[in-house]
Amino acid sequence: MKTFGKYSFLYVITVLIVVLFGGVQAIAKSPQRQAKPVVSILGDSYSTFQGYIPEENLSWYSTSPDRSRTDVDDVTQTWWWQLVSEGGYILGKNDSYSGATVCYTGYRGEDYADRSFITRLPRVGSADILLIFGATNDSWARVPMGEFVYKNLTRGHYYEFRPALGRLLEGAKKMYPGTDVYFILNDGLSEAVADAVMKECKHFDIPVIVLSDIDKKAGHPTRRGMIQIKEQVLNALQAKSM
């Protein structure tokens, strides 16, 4: 048998295999080599940007905005872009729709079933983290509140905020097992809507990220407001992961 000094060829090969295999294991276990968490968003106008949401969805933000309504004109200024970039995440699906309500009732009592959060939930797909940022339009449109109903729901229940929200949250938990679901609650909403969000999220054990003092123009986040949202959401996610 061939030898290398006082060691046999077989011995040298065995040592090399052990060293190499151990190195591969160390790399595989290294946090730096793990895949980044995927974040998906189910939202309304606050989370839109033209070209970065489904084509059929209405968008509030774009590269050529109405300056009387917003100073946000680049996708990198949105809260979710900053969150993904600074938080070390990967963006999954952003299914946000300007003006969308959680329930089927929209502005002026119109039927918004086609764009409701309930309808769009299955389109988001699996992710490590799902951020549901809604209820703002339900508050602004003064939709019917309904009661806290969890069984024997009919289509009629989905036109009311409380039962529709419960259906949304239950659906998110059942449809995407293993996904960490969070609800982002805007500031300045009606007491009834904010209270319903807190109670429904508690019922379904979903953390609520309560926003505060967000800078806005025409009711929507400015560049500064986007940074504030990013910071508050990122702080909540990082605190949860510690």
Side-chain angles (χ1 to χ4, degrees):
M1 180 180 292
K2 189 173 181 180
T3 62
F4 295 84
K6 63 179 180 178
Y7 300 109
S8 68
F9 177 77
L10 181 59
Y11 176 82
V12 172
I13 292 299
T14 301
V15 171
L16 287 174
I17 291 174
V18 170
V19 171
L20 289 173
F21 184 72
V24 170
Q25 283 189 317
I27 292 174
K29 293 180 180 179
S30 171
Q32 288 78 13
R33 302 288 295 189
Q34 296 297 315
K36 297 179 180 180
V38 175
V39 175
S40 288
I41 301 156
L42 182 63
D44 51 31
S45 57
Y46 279 41
S47 306
T48 60
F49 199 91
Q50 191 172 18
Y52 291 84
I53 57 175
E55 186 175 354
E56 65 273 17
N57 291 11
L58 296 177
S59 181
W60 178 273
Y61 296 103
S62 71
T63 55
S64 302
D66 179 346
R67 295 292 175 179
S68 67
R69 301 198 304 172
T70 184
D71 60 351
V72 175
D73 58 8
D74 191 290
V75 69
T76 62
Q77 298 163 353
T78 61
W79 72 267
W80 49 271
W81 181 282
Q82 296 176 66
L83 177 82
V84 168
S85 177
E86 296 180 26
Y89 302 113
I90 294 174
L91 180 64
K93 180 73 174 290
N94 182 352
D95 196 316
S96 296
Y97 198 125
S98 182
T101 47
V102 169
C103 69
Y104 285 178
T105 302
Y107 289 92
R108 300 166 295 280
E110 295 176 9
D111 193 322
Y112 275 20
D114 64 330
R115 68 199 68 181
S116 76
F117 279 61
I118 298 173
T119 301
R120 290 182 290 118
L121 176 64
R123 306 191 325 213
V124 177
S126 297
D128 296 297
I129 298 171
L130 172 59
L131 300 176
I132 301 177
F133 193 173
T136 297
N137 290 299
D138 298 83
S139 178
W140 291 352
R142 299 181 181 179
V143 303
M145 292 301 297
E147 303 297 330
F148 294 105
V149 182
Y150 305 105
K151 295 182 179 180
N152 303 317
L153 272 70
T154 66
R155 182 178 175 84
H157 285 110
Y158 298 159
Y159 287 88
E160 301 171 334
F161 182 69
R162 291 189 181 100
L165 178 61
R167 174 66 183 86
L168 172 68
L169 300 179
E170 181 181 29
K173 297 276 283 194
K174 289 184 176 179
M175 196 173 296
Y176 304 119
T179 295
D180 292 329
V181 182
Y182 295 82
F183 196 99
I184 303 174
L185 179 61
N186 193 13
D187 61 351
L189 304 189
S190 70
E191 184 178 349
V193 167
D195 178 71
V197 169
M198 298 302 293
K199 289 180 177 177
E200 291 284 21
C201 286
K202 182 178 180 180
H203 180 84
F204 290 101
D205 193 27
I206 291 178
V208 182
I209 302 173
V210 181
L211 302 181
S212 62
D213 301 320
I214 303 302
D215 188 64
K216 301 172 185 177
K217 187 174 185 178
H220 290 71
T222 60
R223 292 183 185 181
R224 179 167 173 264
M226 289 292 190
I227 293 174
Q228 292 171 321
I229 294 174
K230 176 265 299 181
E231 290 176 343
Q232 293 179 32
V233 174
L234 185 57
N235 286 341
L237 295 182
Q238 291 178 337
K240 186 72 174 180
S241 64
M242 292 178 64

